[in-house]
Amino acid sequence: MTERQSPMCSARGCRRPAVWALRWNNPKLHTPERRKIWTACDEHRTHLEEFLSLRGFLKETVSTEELVE
C-alpha cells in the first residue's frame, strides 16, 4: 500500500502543497455536470479563481480536505 501524496498547487512553477480545490467546467467542452479540478495554495488561490471566473468556468472553491471524503 502506498501513501497518498498531497496535491500540489496548479499554478505554473509552484511546488507548494495545495489547500484549495477549484472546481470548474468549460461548457464548450464538458457536459454540465462534469467538474475539472485545479488545486491551489493560499498564495495562488485568488489568481487561479480570477483566471477561471473571467472565462465563466469557475463553479466552486472547496478545501482539498473535502476531496478526500
Side-chain angles (χ1 to χ4, degrees):
M1 185 166 155
T2 62
E3 184 178 327
R4 184 180 196 134
Q5 288 187 312
S6 298
M8 282 196 227
C9 182
S10 296
R12 181 177 293 168
C14 185
R15 296 281 140 250
R16 291 186 184 106
V19 292
W20 300 104
L22 288 65
R23 294 180 175 163
W24 62 277
N25 172 296
N26 180 342
K28 291 182 181 179
L29 301 175
H30 308 121
T31 59
E33 65 279 349
R34 174 127 188 237
R35 293 293 180 266
K36 303 282 283 179
I37 298 173
W38 281 359
T39 53
C41 64
D42 281 328
E43 181 180 341
H44 292 110
R45 175 186 175 178
T46 301
H47 170 73
L48 293 172
E49 284 177 332
E50 288 174 355
F51 180 90
L52 292 169
S53 292
L54 284 171
R55 290 153 181 81
F57 295 171
L58 184 63
K59 300 302 179 191
E60 66 180 334
T61 300
V62 297
S63 164
T64 54
E65 291 176 1
E66 291 182 45
L67 297 178
V68 180
E69 296 177 345

